[in-house]
Amino acid sequence: WKTSFDGSVFTLKGAGKGLGGTNDVFHFACKPIEGDCVMVARFVPQPSSQRSQFGLMMRESSAPGAANVALVFDAPTGDQIEAPEWSVHLESRASSGSAAVIQKNSPKIPASVVTYGRLTGPCWLKLERSGNTFKSYFSLDGQTWTQSGTTSVSLGKTLLAGLAVSSRIQQITTTVRFDHVTVEASPTETNAPAEISRRVATLFPTA
C-alpha cells in the first residue's frame, strides 16, 4: 500500500475489504485537522479496478473501527463487475466499533463521467464539517456544487482528514488518483491556524 505525490497528483494504491460494517480495511492518506474544516479533491480517471471504493474521509483515529464520516465513490459488487452502476454516497460510523450507515446515495453519476460503466471523466468531491454536522457535495467542474448528503455525528475536535482507497479485494491493490487536494480550516473556525497550505503535500499513509 502506497501514496505518492508528484507536486500535482496524489496516487494511492490500496487493497482491503473496504469501508463499512464495524471496521474498515483500506489505504488512508491523511493529515490532522482541528475544528471546523473543508476538504476538496478532484478524482482523476480512471481507477485500475471496477471494484474500487474511494473518496474523502474525516476520521477520529487510524483504528480499524474508528468513528468517521466518508464521501465515497462506490459500485455494487454484483454480477455486473465490468459495467457497474457507480454512485457517490455519504456514510458514517457514529462511535468506535459500531456499524457504518450509508446516509444517502447520490443520483446516478452523469454520463459525462461514466462511459460503458467505467469512470472516465474527472469529477470533484467536497466534505465539510461544522461542529457535529457534516455535509457532502459533488461537482463536475469544481465551481457548481450539488449537495449529496448531510449527517450529524459527534466526533472529536481533532480528526484525520484525507483520501481513502480500497480495492475491496484482499491482497490485490487498486490505483486511484486525485489532484486539486485541499484540507482547510473553515473560515468560521476562530481557532484555525494562521496559514493552511492550499496544496496539501503532508498527507501520510495509514493502514
Side-chain angles (χ1 to χ4, degrees):
W1 300 8
K2 179 181 179 182
T3 298
S4 62
F5 180 62
D6 66 4
S8 178
V9 178
F10 285 95
T11 300
L12 284 77
K13 296 182 178 182
K17 73 175 182 64
L19 310 178
T22 58
N23 64 86
D24 309 310
V25 183
F26 68 111
H27 183 57
F28 191 32
C30 58
K31 65 171 291 181
I33 188 81
E34 185 173 301
D36 295 347
C37 56
V38 180
M39 182 171 189
V40 176
R42 186 179 72 159
F43 161 67
V44 179
Q46 59 180 314
S48 62
S49 169
Q50 288 290 80
R51 293 178 64 91
S52 300
Q53 186 183 47
F54 57 93
L56 311 183
M57 174 178 280
M58 295 182 184
R59 189 176 184 92
E60 281 198 327
S61 76
S62 60
N68 70 83
V69 177
L71 177 59
V72 180
F73 270 106
D74 204 353
T77 56
D79 295 334
Q80 299 299 319
I81 295 176
E82 292 304 316
E85 292 286 340
W86 287 95
S87 66
V88 178
H89 69 247
L90 181 67
E91 69 174 57
S92 64
R93 180 179 293 118
S95 60
S96 179
S98 65
V101 176
I102 295 178
Q103 302 296 333
K104 184 177 180 180
N105 270 309
S106 70
K108 185 177 178 181
I109 294 176
S112 58
V113 177
V114 180
T115 304
Y116 297 112
R118 297 186 178 274
L119 291 172
T120 55
C123 50
W124 298 69
L125 300 176
K126 178 164 65 174
L127 185 60
E128 293 184 349
R129 180 191 192 179
S130 178
N132 292 330
T133 300
F134 294 80
K135 295 180 179 180
S136 61
Y137 302 85
F138 175 85
S139 174
L140 295 179
D141 58 9
Q143 301 295 321
T144 301
W145 294 91
T146 299
Q147 186 171 334
S148 59
T150 183
T151 188
S152 180
V153 181
S154 181
L155 298 183
K157 186 175 178 63
T158 301
L159 299 177
L160 298 176
L163 306 170
V165 170
S166 170
S167 65
R168 293 196 295 185
I169 304 173
Q170 299 287 2
Q171 308 303 320
I172 297 178
T173 61
T174 187
T175 301
V176 180
R177 296 176 177 85
F178 299 91
D179 64 7
H180 297 281
V181 178
T182 59
V183 183
E184 300 179 315
S186 168
T188 61
E189 176 58 45
T190 57
N191 295 320
E195 295 182 7
I196 294 182
S197 173
R198 290 200 57 84
R199 178 72 64 186
V200 181
T202 55
L203 294 174
F204 58 88
T206 301

